[in-house]
């Protein structure tokens, strides 16, 4: 790409039909291209057209970014926490001022529906404000000792945090998932998903006017090159990753090199148990809502993808489910009238269609969808899809699809369905729909997942810890625990001088003379 102008301005400049914008990445307190000159295309999944390009960072860029972030981290951590909190609130205000262009940029880059992406900006702002409010809550503890010593702990930031995020909620993750690390006093380097990097660059564009230079960097590029180099850099002692299980394993292994602290938010194959006492029509609406189609075309780690319905309501529930899916409109995600848009990129589209093909050949019944919607010849579209007659051994009941695809299974014994729901290597979220509180309480206690929803699937109050069990992850986010995870504990034991100086000694009283 010779002669093209590289710019830091992506907000309001990237658009359909416009000439592609050639964006810079935000490292070392400035804006740059990759040292190699390599670039990645940003493709609008609705039109399959290139709307922008971003730098494909290599090890030299990573090294420059880390060194500059180390430098910036010293003055950032030295700021009184109230000042850091104030700046995070300022960043939240600045984001709110351009919420609509950010949401639009995410739609163009990811194909997620516009209403969902507006919601993502709201969530990102809420996370910034939540952690700004918690910024002072990194205090240590004291240990009981004798008179000669004082022993206490301090919590100090790591310095530089690598924040690697996936493609599915681009702005929300780049922003919200950096908030705790920033509040705790770290400089953060965000590595966005290579398919959806634009709104992370927009975040840096907004932050430029608010945060000190180098405190928040955005390094674009592939996972295999830029991501790997970032994780392996000796200047990075704290790695926070959100993405797939195989990449999580790779990152854990790579982080072993520097014995870095790693947290992982990984995939899910999230079950929903529908009990016999529910209203089948309402349960079907809840089940479809829990697929997160309107938010991210089903591409959410917490989406429900296997539903166990009690045999007594199976028929009515299935009919209601099909009815609800029929109501969903698939089309241009910029059009508010549409509930679903395309999947984020071509390879993922092919992968989801492969899962659908495999389910059919394994003998599941395709009850709804399963193909490209009629009339949408371009773009990475796939219909919301429902498989019935699924058995526990089928791949569609076991593997994460990460798309708008649901597998329906039946049950008749409560203990048995809980056992089946738990028979997975993954344990991110789980759901139960029932009006019976005793059943809800028992099932919630027995489900092996980091987050259990009883009714109201997907409703997560701010501050409620989120993080997977088993191979779905390590550590918790959206909580005080996350804030503390960006600090390292130091113990200080002060041994006091055995003899007090003469001026501090107690004066002898008259009677002592
Ligand atoms: P992915 O693992 O392919 O990529 C995620 C990020 O890691 C990207 O930025 C990528 O460039 C980077 N990466 C890839 N290889 C790397 C390496 N060797 N070293 C360092 N970085 C590397 O995931 P994806 O396809 O972008 O996202 C989908 C997955 O993310 C799904 O499995 C989904 O369940 C999971 N996810 C989990 C959560 C959660 O909170 N638990 C949230 C969203 C998505």
């Amino acid at each position: 790409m010779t002669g093209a102008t590289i710019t830091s301005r992506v907000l309001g400049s990237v658009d359909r039909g416009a000439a592609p914008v050639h964006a810079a990445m935000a490292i070392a307190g400035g804006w740059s291209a990759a040292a190699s000159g390599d670039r990645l295309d940003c493709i609008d999944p609705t039109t399959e057209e290139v709307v922008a390009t971003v730098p494909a960072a290599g090890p030299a860029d990573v090294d420059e970014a880390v060194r500059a972030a180390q430098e910036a981290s010293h003055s950032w951590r030295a700021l009184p926490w109230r000042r850091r909190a104030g700046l995070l609130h300022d960043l939240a205000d600045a984001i709110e001022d351009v919420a609509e262009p950010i949401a639009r940029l995410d739609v163009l880059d990811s194909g997620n529906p516009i209403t969902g992406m507006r919601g993502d900006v709201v969530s990102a702002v809420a996370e910034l404000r939540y952690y700004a409010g918690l910024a002072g809550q990194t205090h240590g503890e004291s240990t009981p000792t004798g008179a000669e010593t004082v022993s206490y702990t301090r919590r100090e930031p790591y310095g530089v945090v690598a924040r690697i995020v996936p493609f599915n909620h681009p702005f929300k993750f780049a922003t919200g998932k950096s908030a705790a690390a920033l509040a705790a006093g770290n400089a953060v380097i965000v590595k966005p998903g290579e398919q959806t990097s634009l709104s992370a660059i927009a975040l840096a564009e907004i932050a430029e006017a608010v945060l000190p230079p180098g405190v928040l960097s955005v390094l674009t590029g592939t996972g295999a090159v830029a991501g790997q180099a970032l994780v392996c850099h000796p200047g990075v002692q704290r790695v926070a990753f959100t993405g797939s299980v195989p990449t999580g394993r790779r990152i854990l292994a790579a982080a072993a090199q520097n014995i870095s602290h790693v947290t992982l938010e990984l995939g899910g194959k999230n079950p929903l148990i529908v009990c016999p006492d529910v209203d089948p029509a309402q349960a079907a609406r809840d089940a479809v809502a829990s697929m997160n189609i309107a938010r991210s075309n089903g591409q959410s780690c917490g989406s429900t993808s296997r539903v166990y319905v009690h045999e007594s309501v199976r028929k009515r529930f299935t009919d209601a489910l099909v009815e609800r899916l029929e109501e969903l409109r698939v089309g241009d995600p910029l059009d508010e009238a549409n509930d679903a848009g395309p999947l984020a990129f071509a390879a993922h589209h092919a992968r989801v269609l492969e899962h659908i093909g495999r389910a059919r050949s394994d003998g599941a019944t395709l009850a709804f969808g399963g193909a490209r919607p009629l009339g949408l010849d371009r773009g990475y579209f796939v219909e919301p899809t429902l498989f019935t007659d699924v058995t526990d051994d089928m791949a569609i009941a076991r593997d994460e699809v990460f798309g708008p695809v649901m597998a329906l299974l039946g049950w008749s014994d409560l203990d048995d369905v809980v056992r089946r729901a738990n028979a997975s290597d993954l344990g991110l979220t789980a759901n139960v729909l029932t009006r019976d509180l005793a059943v809800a309480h028992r099932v919630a206690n027995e489900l092996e997942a980091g987050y259990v929803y009883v009714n109201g699937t997907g409703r997560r109050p701010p501050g409620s810890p989120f993080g997977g069990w088993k191979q779905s992850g390590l550590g918790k986010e959206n909580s005080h625990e996350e804030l503390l995870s960006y600090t390292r504990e130091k113990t200080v034991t002060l041994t006091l001088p055995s003899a007090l100086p003469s001026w501090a000694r107690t004066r002898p009283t008259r009677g002592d003379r």
Side-chain angles (χ1 to χ4, degrees):
M1 201 204 63
T2 50
T5 311
I6 308 286
T7 175
S8 60
R9 307 288 147 215
V10 291
L11 271 179
S13 353
V14 175
D15 215 341
R16 282 207 193 130
V21 167
H22 302 294
M25 58 185 171
I27 61 166
W31 294 91
S32 36
S36 63
D38 292 347
R39 302 192 66 80
L40 301 173
D41 287 342
C42 308
I43 295 170
D44 176 352
T46 309
T47 61
E48 302 183 32
E49 307 257 319
V50 175
V51 288
T53 67
V54 296
D61 306 300
V62 170
D63 190 49
E64 194 188 351
V66 173
R67 283 173 198 282
Q70 280 175 317
E71 194 55 40
S73 72
H74 299 304
S75 43
W76 180 243
R77 69 183 284 178
L79 283 183
W81 67 262
R82 275 190 302 271
R83 179 91 183 100
R84 279 201 308 273
L87 289 171
L88 293 182
H89 277 301
D90 291 348
L91 180 61
D93 292 344
I95 289 170
E96 280 175 328
D97 288 345
V98 284
E100 189 60 20
I102 297 170
R104 198 180 157 82
L105 189 63
D106 263 354
V107 176
L108 291 171
D109 210 11
S110 70
N112 289 342
I114 183 74
T115 45
M117 293 303 90
R118 286 179 185 139
D120 271 12
V121 180
V122 172
S123 301
V125 165
E127 288 213 47
L128 276 174
R129 296 202 191 283
Y130 172 74
Y131 285 110
L134 274 186
Q137 301 300 311
T138 56
H139 39 71
E141 293 179 342
S142 67
T143 311
T145 57
E148 312 75 36
T149 52
V150 174
S151 193
Y152 61 94
T153 62
R154 290 166 51 78
R155 288 194 167 270
E156 298 181 5
Y158 278 89
V160 180
V161 170
R163 217 349 164 167
I164 303 174
V165 293
F167 69 83
N168 56 326
H169 290 284
F171 186 77
K172 173 178 145 90
F173 283 169
T175 307
K177 285 177 180 285
S178 300
L182 288 169
N186 300 280
V188 175
I189 302 178
V190 179
K191 212 305 271 164
E194 54 256 54
Q195 306 85 1
T196 57
S197 305
L198 290 173
S199 61
I201 294 172
L203 169 66
E205 183 181 329
I206 301 162
E208 192 176 24
V210 181
L211 299 181
V215 165
L216 178 73
S217 308
V218 172
L219 182 94
T220 53
T222 65
V225 179
Q228 182 81 11
L230 190 56
V231 173
C232 294
H233 197 289
V236 176
Q237 281 279 294
R238 175 72 173 91
V239 178
F241 172 72
T242 304
S244 64
V245 176
T247 308
R249 278 198 197 98
R250 249 172 258 137
I251 286 180
L252 206 50
Q257 199 170 306
N258 300 317
I259 319 286
S260 311
H261 177 174
V262 179
T263 47
L264 303 171
E265 288 289 342
L266 308 176
K269 185 69 188 174
N270 309 305
L272 166 67
I273 298 175
V274 181
C275 292
D277 59 348
V278 299
D279 165 15
Q282 180 58 46
R285 282 194 292 277
D286 289 345
V288 172
S290 74
M291 291 169 78
N292 290 320
I293 291 176
R295 198 77 191 241
S296 56
N297 299 320
Q299 301 159 118
S300 278
C301 55
S303 300
T304 295
S305 56
R306 51 187 171 126
V307 174
Y308 298 87
V309 57
H310 192 266
E311 294 297 351
S312 64
V313 285
R314 185 171 179 155
K315 168 85 175 72
R316 281 181 296 151
F317 176 78
T318 311
D319 292 347
L321 210 50
V322 170
E323 244 171 63
R324 178 70 193 110
L325 290 172
E326 275 168 351
E327 286 166 10
L328 297 179
R329 282 186 54 173
V330 184
D332 184 347
L334 279 175
D335 182 346
E336 285 175 13
N338 290 324
D339 301 286
L343 298 179
F345 53 100
H348 187 53
H349 183 242
R351 208 153 53 201
V352 170
L353 290 176
E354 251 173 56
H355 281 287
I356 291 173
R358 168 91 193 263
R360 295 180 80 159
S361 60
D362 281 349
T365 303
L366 182 63
F368 190 83
R372 174 182 279 281
L374 280 177
L376 291 172
D377 303 325
R378 255 191 343 165
Y380 311 129
F381 289 96
V382 61
E383 293 170 304
T385 297
L386 173 68
F387 281 104
T388 55
D389 303 315
V390 175
T391 54
D392 292 318
D393 57 331
M394 289 182 188
I396 200 68
R398 291 186 281 104
D399 299 341
E400 183 185 43
V401 174
F402 214 58
V405 180
M406 182 173 280
L408 193 64
L409 305 95
W411 68 275
S412 47
D413 177 85
L414 190 62
D415 287 335
D416 189 51
V417 75
V418 171
R419 182 193 57 72
R420 290 163 65 202
N422 287 340
S424 168
D425 292 336
L426 302 173
L428 189 59
T429 69
N431 309 260
V432 55
L433 298 181
T434 178
R435 289 191 208 138
D436 188 313
L437 277 182
V439 170
H441 190 56
R442 192 181 124 199
V443 172
N445 286 351
E446 289 174 6
L447 283 169
E448 294 171 3
Y451 206 110
V452 177
Y453 299 102
V454 178
N455 305 321
T457 54
R459 243 176 250 156
R460 283 204 275 135
S464 48
F466 186 83
W469 282 17
K470 303 195 263 188
Q471 294 182 21
S472 286
L474 274 182
K476 292 285 178 187
E477 296 189 347
N478 306 308
S479 56
H480 188 219
E481 188 177 332
E482 182 183 6
L483 179 81
L484 296 183
S485 79
Y486 291 110
T487 63
R488 44 191 170 179
E489 201 171 34
K490 176 188 281 175
T491 306
V492 180
T493 297
L494 255 165
T495 301
L496 306 170
S498 51
L500 287 175
S502 58
W503 52 264
R505 281 187 213 130
T506 314
R507 291 235 178 95
T509 60
R510 239 169 226 285
D512 293 335
R513 284 192 203 145

